[in-house]
Amino acid sequence: MTSSAAEETISSLKTEALEQLSAASDEAALESWRVEFMGRKGRLTGILRNLGSLESDERRAAGAAANRLKGELESAFEEQVAAGKRSGASGAAPDAIDVTLPGRRPRHGRLHPSTQVIREMLDAFNEMGFQTVEGNEVELERYNFDMLNIPADHPARDMQDTIWINRERDSIDGGVLLRTQTSPMQPRTMEQQDPPVRIVSPGKCFRTEATDATHEWQFHQVEGLAVDEGLSFADLKGTLYEFARRLFGADRKVRFRCDFFPFVEPGVDMSVDWNGRWVEILGAGMVHPQVLRNVGYDPEKYTGFAFGVGPERVAMLKYGIEDIRHFFSNDLRFLSQF
Ligand code: FA5
């Protein structure tokens, strides 16, 4: 056997072996292939054995080619065994695409109705000059309550029965909780920048509510805050009227009533007419001087207004949804209507 003849034999053995291997579809065929080509008396082993009869130069070249082929056939064999296991007994790969099936339109996902309404609300406020900032769902007691003029013994805390993560008041930050409102973004923002401030901040809030048609234990709010020299209650009303006009149209009736929140003075809530019934969608008011002092702003120089809107309530009014509990029950029959 000359070197080139040996290399030619190796090359044609490769073609033949790979062809037969790809046709070996069951365990028995794979085993007889292995015995024929790779076994102790197999054809490749035979070639390797005969290398000794060649001249040393020729032996080196043919030996390298034969060893390369051995490696290639071994990995091709392993691959074929693995493919056989994947396809199971039927012999057809389970993930094979059946091109004879009729085409089907893929199901499209869509944004949750709360997200859609939040985006619409943010668009309205952004166009009025409010910048969007993001807050944390897990909040410090200090920002959720203390900085907002709600000290530990204040009865207003009871109205927001709270999901605590850690109740220890071992530092100025106090405990850790799932925020009950987006209002902590007021002091957090004011600590970071000097006036003028004009921000909106969307996000989730959590309270241990006894749920009913208009109360969930988790819901969203969009907080708003504007602080500058000379802002008045007229600015608050103008902003919220414009917001209601944008979201509900010019004909929808809205109503302001006095309300109490420790971080504003005076405080109001705004309700929207729903078939002759008033549904409250937001709390608002002029920022309390103590809240401005808490962040180092001078209340003699600056005034501001703040508001917190519930987008689920807004969506209920916009689309005639009669029960807020649909929003988080994850029922596609409800969610796919929006
Ligand atoms: C507040 O949470 C105040 N932080 C709002 C505020 C901000 C006042 C800035 C003044 C200045 P209240 O608890 O009323 O207030 O909630 C405000 C809005 O969030 C409600 O009008 C309602 O739309 C929504 N909301 C409150 N609780 C729930 C609930 N359990 N389920 C669904 N929406 C709720």
Side-chain angles (χ1 to χ4, degrees), residues 148 150 159-160 180-184 186 205-225 236 259-264 266-270 279-287 305-314 316 324 328:
L148 290 167
I150 315 177
M159 283 158 53
Q160 301 188 357
T180 61
Q181 49 185 350
T182 44
S183 299
Q186 295 183 34
C205 308
F206 308 83
R207 301 179 188 174
T208 48
E209 294 271 12
T211 58
D212 61 27
T214 52
H215 291 84
E216 254 293 7
W217 70 270
Q218 57 172 336
F219 52 96
H220 291 88
Q221 286 187 343
V222 173
E223 191 76 11
L225 172 70
L236 180 157
D259 200 348
F260 173 75
F261 305 95
F263 39 97
V264 291
V268 290
D269 62 40
M270 189 172 109
V279 176
E280 182 207 300
I281 61 159
L282 64 87
M286 299 305 290
V287 180
F305 63 87
F307 52 86
V309 195
E312 279 82 26
R313 298 258 182 98
V314 172
M316 290 172 81
I324 200 169
F328 297 103

Side-chain angles (χ1 to χ4, degrees), residues 186-331:
Q186 295 183 34
R188 277 192 179 277
T189 306
M190 290 190 280
E191 271 185 348
Q192 297 292 320
Q193 67 176 93
D194 291 328
V197 174
R198 212 174 291 148
I199 58 108
V200 275
S201 188
K204 241 184 195 176
C205 308
F206 308 83
R207 301 179 188 174
T208 48
E209 294 271 12
T211 58
D212 61 27
T214 52
H215 291 84
E216 254 293 7
W217 70 270
Q218 57 172 336
F219 52 96
H220 291 88
Q221 286 187 343
V222 173
E223 191 76 11
L225 172 70
V227 183
D228 204 345
E229 289 182 49
L231 287 183
S232 73
F233 201 81
D235 297 298
L236 180 157
K237 280 185 89 173
T239 305
L240 294 178
Y241 271 136
E242 174 58 15
F243 156 72
R245 193 188 65 75
R246 290 276 303 252
L247 268 286
F248 302 110
D251 298 335
R252 199 78 171 254
K253 282 193 204 132
V254 300
R255 161 185 96 173
F256 284 101
R257 274 191 324 183
C258 291
D259 200 348
F260 173 75
F261 305 95
F263 39 97
V264 291
E265 178 57 36
V268 290
D269 62 40
M270 189 172 109
S271 303
V272 178
D273 175 60
W274 193 19
N275 305 326
R277 216 180 103 199
W278 292 109
V279 176
E280 182 207 300
I281 61 159
L282 64 87
M286 299 305 290
V287 180
H288 196 289
Q290 187 56 44
V291 175
L292 296 176
R293 252 178 249 122
N294 289 346
V295 296
Y297 285 8
D298 178 0
E300 299 299 324
K301 187 169 175 197
Y302 296 111
T303 50
F305 63 87
F307 52 86
V309 195
E312 279 82 26
R313 298 258 182 98
V314 172
M316 290 172 81
L317 288 160
K318 267 176 84 71
Y319 302 120
I321 300 162
E322 77 298 340
D323 195 317
I324 200 169
R325 287 167 290 200
H326 288 309
F327 284 86
F328 297 103
S329 61
N330 221 12
D331 186 340

